[in-house]
Amino acid sequence: MKKILISAFIALSASAMAQDAATTNACSVSIDSNDAMQFNLKEFEINKSQCPEFSITLKHVGNLPAAAMGHNVVITQASDKDAVLKDGLAFPANGYLKEGDERVVAHTKLIGGQEETSVSFPTKDLDASKAYEFFCSFPAHATIMNGKVKVVE
Ligand code: CO
């Protein structure tokens, strides 16, 4: 009988934790990437009034090294994406992003398999009337590894 009660308590605690995670993560997003050149989500939202700062955690759940299957998360206006990617090709040591590129709203570092990285950034300069995207800047990855960032005032 005692054993059953303990199990029930553990199950309750676990479900309470899951609920907390879902309700307190509005100012952050966790994105997985893999050896098949994929992100596990296509869109996330940044609410400016709720979140003066927003953070992104990127996990690479694959095994290939960054030199072969590097992934990062870069946010720009959708209209800047192609030029940012083109200019970034000359800067492999900077995660394929031009040094000091002012069109880049935020970016994580470039990681390989089994690595994880995070970035936090202020949201005040985001403009809800503009379209933003997130993508990986490793050469040729952004055609598949991309998604929409919905900005809400
Ligand atoms: Co990539």
Side-chain angles (χ1 to χ4, degrees):
M1 183 62 184
K2 195 175 178 187
K3 200 170 181 182
I4 292 168
L5 279 174
I6 289 167
S7 304
F9 177 75
I10 290 168
L12 272 173
S13 305
S15 80
M17 266 164 56
Q19 217 165 29
D20 278 353
T23 51
T24 58
N25 279 1
C27 296
S28 65
V29 66
S30 185
I31 303 173
D32 284 358
S33 58
N34 63 21
D35 283 344
M37 230 167 84
Q38 295 164 320
F39 288 133
N40 70 334
L41 85 177
K42 291 299 283 179
E43 181 171 349
F44 61 88
E45 180 177 299
I46 298 177
N47 186 311
K48 289 179 65 180
S49 51
Q50 274 177 25
C51 308
E53 292 259 321
F54 193 87
S55 50
I56 297 170
T57 297
L58 173 68
K59 292 176 191 168
H60 191 321
V61 301
N63 295 301
L64 294 170
M69 186 56 69
H71 300 318
N72 59 6
V73 173
V74 181
I75 297 177
T76 69
Q77 281 188 40
S79 56
D80 288 332
K81 184 175 82 167
D82 290 348
V84 166
L85 285 168
K86 185 167 174 276
D87 293 349
L89 288 173
F91 298 87
N94 195 44
Y96 297 95
L97 291 173
K98 190 173 83 174
E99 306 272 358
D101 192 330
E102 290 182 355
R103 297 165 296 187
V104 173
V105 173
H107 71 92
T108 70
K109 69 173 190 164
L110 190 82
I111 58 172
Q114 300 300 309
E115 293 182 316
E116 180 176 330
T117 187
S118 293
V119 65
S120 290
F121 55 97
T123 62
K124 65 175 167 46
D125 292 333
L126 292 167
D127 181 342
S129 72
K130 295 191 168 133
Y132 293 88
E133 287 191 31
F134 71 95
F135 54 88
C136 173
S137 64
F138 192 93
H141 283 200
T143 50
I144 296 170
M145 301 187 79
N146 66 78
K148 193 178 159 191
V149 181
K150 190 181 170 198
V151 175
V152 176
E153 285 298 335

